[in-house]
C-alpha cells in the first residue's frame, strides 16, 4: 500500500512529463493541464491504496484514458457548438514561447550561454516538438512512453492496451519518421 507521501512524491515526479505528453496529444495548454489534473485526482481517489510499484503503470493508463475522454468530449462539443476561438487570429505576442525549453543549461548554473546558442537550441526544440506532434497518435504515444517516460516495452504495451510487438513497431516507425524529418531540416544527432 502506498503511503500519502509515496503517492505525493510519485505525482510530483511525473507532473511535467505527463503535461508534455498531454500537450503533444491535445495541442492545447489549458486542456493538457486539465487532463493531467483529472488523471492525478483519479489515481489518488481510486488507486491511492495500491502498492507504490503499481502507480506508474496505473497512472499511464489513467492519463491515456483521460486524454481519450477529452477527445470524445471535443468531438461532441464541436458537433453541437461553434467555437469562438475558430474566429480569432493567431496570437502575435509570442505566447507559445517556453522559457524552460529555450534554456536548459547545466544544473549548477555555472556556464552562461550566448543568445545565439539559446536561440538555436529553442529552434531545434520547436522543430523536434513539431515533428513529434505530427506523428500518428499511436506512434506518438508509444514513442513518448518508451523514450520520454522511460518505460520498457512490456509496461508500454500494458499501458497502451496492445501487444509488445505493436509497441516495437510503433516505436520503430516513429524513430524512422523523426530521423528522416529532422535530417531533412539539417538536424543531426
Amino acid at each position: 500500500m502506498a503511503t500519502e507521501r509515496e503517492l505525493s512524491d510519485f505525482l510530483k515526479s511525473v507532473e511535467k512529463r505527463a503535461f508534455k505528453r498531454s500537450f503533444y496529444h491535445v495541442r492545447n495548454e489549458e486542456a493538457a493541464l486539465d487532463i493531467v489534473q483529472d488523471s492525478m485526482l483519479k489515481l489518488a481517489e481510486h488507486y491511492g491504496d495500491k502498492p507504490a510499484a503499481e502507480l506508474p503503470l496505473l497512472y499511464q493508463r489513467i492519463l491515456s484514458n483521460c486524454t481519450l475522454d477529452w477527445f470524445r468530449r471535443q468531438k461532441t462539443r464541436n458537433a453541437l457548438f461553434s467555437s469562438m476561438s475558430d474566429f480569432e487570429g493567431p496570437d502575435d505576442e509570442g505566447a507559445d514561447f517556453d522559457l524552460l525549453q529555450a534554456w536548459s543549461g547545466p544544473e549548477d548554473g555555472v556556464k552562461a550561454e550566448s543568445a545565439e546558442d539559446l536561440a538555436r537550441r529553442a529552434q531545434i526544440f520547436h522543430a523536434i516538438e513539431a515533428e513529434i506532434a505530427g506523428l500518428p497518435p499511436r506512434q506518438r504515444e508509444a514513442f513518448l512512453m518508451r523514450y520520454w517516460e522511460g518505460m520498457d516495452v512490456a509496461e508500454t504495451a500494458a499501458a497502451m492496451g496492445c501487444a509488445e510487438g505493436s509497441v516495437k513497431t510503433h516505436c520503430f516507425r516513429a524513430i524512422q519518421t523523426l530521423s528522416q524529418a529532422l535530417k531533412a531540416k539539417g538536424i543531426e544527432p
Side-chain angles (χ1 to χ4, degrees), residues 21 57 60-61 64 68 137-143 145-146 151 153-163 166-167 170-171:
R21 180 176 157 203
L57 189 56
Q60 293 304 322
R61 191 59 159 179
S64 295
L68 290 173
R138 294 294 279 181
Q139 287 181 21
R140 181 175 53 239
E141 185 176 20
F143 179 82
M145 283 184 184
R146 288 279 292 127
M151 298 170 73
V153 175
E155 291 173 329
T156 304
M160 291 178 65
C162 64
S166 295
V167 170
H170 290 314
C171 286

Side-chain angles (χ1 to χ4, degrees), residues 53-73:
E54 292 181 17
L55 294 178
L57 189 56
L58 285 168
Y59 183 70
Q60 293 304 322
R61 191 59 159 179
I62 292 169
L63 184 63
S64 295
N65 288 341
C66 286
T67 304
L68 290 173
D69 291 344
W70 182 86
F71 278 112
R72 286 185 196 111
R73 284 191 304 271

Side-chain angles (χ1 to χ4, degrees), residues 69-126:
D69 291 344
W70 182 86
F71 278 112
R72 286 185 196 111
R73 284 191 304 271
Q74 287 301 108
K75 185 176 179 181
T76 303
R77 184 182 147 265
N78 289 340
L80 299 174
F81 305 105
S82 163
S83 174
M84 293 305 288
S85 64
D86 293 341
F87 301 106
E88 295 175 3
D91 187 38
D92 294 333
E93 297 179 20
D96 59 341
F97 176 73
D98 187 355
L99 181 61
L100 292 177
Q101 289 178 339
W103 188 85
S104 59
E107 292 183 18
D108 58 9
V110 174
K111 180 183 165 194
E113 294 188 71
S114 70
E116 182 181 346
D117 289 340
L118 290 173
R120 187 176 316 120
R121 186 191 330 264
Q123 288 174 343
I124 291 171
F125 282 149
H126 287 297

Side-chain angles (χ1 to χ4, degrees), residues 3 10 15 30 35-36 42 48 64 76-77 98 119 124 129 131 135-136 140 145 151 169 175 183 188:
T3 64
F10 169 73
E15 71 178 325
E30 292 170 3
I35 290 168
V36 170
K42 286 180 182 179
S64 295
T76 303
R77 184 182 147 265
D98 187 355
I124 291 171
E129 281 185 334
E131 293 302 327
L135 289 172
R140 181 175 53 239
M145 283 184 184
M151 298 170 73
T169 301
I175 290 169
K183 282 181 184 176
E188 296 287 331

